[in-house]
């Protein structure tokens, strides 16, 4: 099904598709669940795939102020309760979705069977980066989507991305609520450094990076992925920050066998 469900007073929009072991897809910033459009069909051939629009993104309404990674994780936990998903899940998060996956795993370790961490990192923002996020949050509330798109579109896609992919990503950014984007920027600015916890994550973790990703460069990803006791790292050639959308087939070939082997 695709539609809205009421979760603690907020109408969360999501796709819930397929049957089998549950898989929760967590999109990045400032995007929505359609980031996974090229992956849903293959993933749902073996899994029950739940792909929500996070609070303030896509068709899920925002909350003003700050939304922390922990609050996003609590929303996801509440969504699983409403959908009556009781067994441990595989979590697949991209970038901010990875930050949220780390928060979810810390808060609800018994609910996590495995993780796929795409184009993300366990680092906290340096003070200067955090300050830039706050400044961008203020600017976009005053000026609209322009500063958001200027700041993120060139970073998330390589210069040679297909025009259809560029338009798709621009559309997702334009569809993001300004209040929602500002709240998530403030939340990301205050996220914790997760590196000390990586050796404690005892479930299988597939870490995916992209050769042309300036936000999560493969050399850095390789370093922190080594700290995961059951981690494995795959670097996809020819893609930037959004491999699942840029080149869905290679992404699916890397991720789906990992999920099916769990
Ligand atoms: C994302 O893709 O979710 C963002 O680039 C994350 C970030 O800005 O740190």
């Amino acid at each position: 099904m695709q539609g809205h469900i009421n979760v603690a007073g907020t109408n969360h929009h999501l796709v819930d598709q397929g049957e089998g072991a549950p898989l929760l897809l967590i999109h990045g910033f400032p995007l929505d669940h359609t980031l996974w459009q090229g992956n849903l069909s293959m993933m749902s051939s073996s899994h029950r795939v739940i792909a929500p629009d996070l609070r303030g993104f896509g068709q899920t309404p925002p909350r003003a102020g700050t939304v922390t990674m922990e609050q996003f994780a609590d929303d996801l936990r509440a969504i699983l309760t409403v959908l009556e998903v009781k067994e441990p899940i595989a979590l697949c998060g991209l970038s901010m979705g990875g930050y949220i996956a780390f928060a979810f795993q810390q808060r609800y370790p018994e609910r996590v069977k495995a993780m796929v961490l795409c184009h993300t990192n366990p680092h906290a923002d340096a003070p200067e980066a955090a300050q830039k996020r706050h400044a961008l949050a203020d600017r976009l509330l005053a000026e609209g989507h322009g500063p958001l798109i200027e700041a993120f579109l060139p970073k998330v896609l390589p210069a040679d991305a297909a025009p259809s992919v560029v338009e798709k990503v621009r559309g997702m950014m334009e569809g993001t609520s300004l209040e929602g984007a500002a709240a998530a920027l403030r939340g990301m600015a205050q996220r914790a450094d997760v590196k000390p916890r990586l050796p404690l994550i005892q479930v299988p973790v597939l870490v995916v990076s992209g050769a042309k990703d300036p936000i999560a460069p493969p050399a850095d990803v390789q370093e922190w992925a080594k700290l995961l006791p059951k981690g494995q790292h795959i670097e996809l050639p020819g893609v930037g920050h959004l491999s699942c959308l840029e080149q869905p087939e290679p992404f699916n070939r890397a991720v789906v066998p990992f999920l099916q082997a769990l």
Side-chain angles (χ1 to χ4, degrees):
M1 75 94 167
Q2 168 154 6
H4 288 86
I5 58 168
N6 192 295
V7 181
T10 295
N11 269 329
H12 270 269
H13 179 257
L14 54 81
V15 167
D16 180 1
Q17 180 176 318
E19 281 173 24
L23 167 65
L24 180 62
L25 302 180
I26 317 173
H27 65 74
F29 176 92
L31 307 172
D32 63 40
H33 82 279
T34 63
L35 173 69
W36 309 107
Q37 67 183 16
N39 320 112
L40 279 172
S41 160
M42 183 156 174
M43 288 175 166
S44 62
S45 67
S46 53
H47 284 73
R48 175 180 181 185
V49 184
I50 299 159
D53 285 338
L54 296 169
R55 190 183 281 271
F57 298 87
Q59 297 179 50
T60 299
R63 182 167 63 204
T66 301
V67 179
T68 63
M69 301 305 102
E70 289 74 19
Q71 286 168 327
F72 281 123
D74 289 350
D75 282 344
L76 296 175
R77 177 74 184 80
I79 286 172
L80 295 176
T81 302
V82 172
L83 295 178
E84 297 186 0
V85 176
K86 300 201 172 81
E87 62 186 288
I89 56 169
L91 278 179
C92 174
L94 185 142
S95 200
M96 181 181 78
Y99 311 156
I100 297 168
F102 281 129
F104 187 102
Q105 193 279 334
Q106 179 167 28
R107 283 166 105 73
Y108 309 111
E110 74 291 348
R111 302 306 311 264
V112 179
K113 182 173 170 188
M115 299 166 87
V116 181
L117 299 172
C118 313
H119 309 283
T120 193
N121 67 74
H123 312 306
D125 273 1
E128 195 190 320
Q131 215 169 11
K132 275 194 190 159
R133 292 210 203 257
H134 283 288
L136 180 60
D138 293 343
R139 239 189 107 196
L140 64 89
L141 286 175
E143 296 173 33
H145 287 89
L148 182 66
I149 293 169
E150 266 164 45
F152 278 88
L153 194 56
K155 278 200 297 190
V156 299
L157 288 175
D160 59 356
S164 60
V165 171
V166 178
E167 282 323 297
K168 168 78 192 156
V169 173
R170 184 193 294 278
M172 282 193 268
M173 291 181 174
E174 285 169 350
T176 296
S177 125
L178 295 171
E179 263 189 339
L185 281 167
R186 297 189 190 107
M188 286 193 280
Q190 68 180 66
R191 74 189 190 282
D193 177 9
V194 184
K195 263 200 315 300
R197 284 193 43 246
L198 295 180
L200 307 176
I201 298 179
Q202 292 298 339
V203 294
V205 184
L206 177 65
V207 182
V208 177
S209 66
K212 298 185 190 172
D213 183 356
I215 301 178
D220 178 55
V221 173
Q222 178 64 25
E223 281 309 303
W224 64 258
K226 277 191 221 155
L227 304 174
L228 292 159
K230 294 185 187 164
Q232 50 178 300
H233 172 212
I234 293 187
E235 177 185 332
L236 295 175
V239 291
H241 191 58
L242 305 178
S243 61
C244 57
L245 186 70
E246 290 167 57
Q247 294 193 20
E249 286 81 18
F251 178 87
N252 291 337
R253 278 199 298 276
V255 171
V256 173
F258 169 82
L259 294 169
Q260 289 178 344
L262 290 172

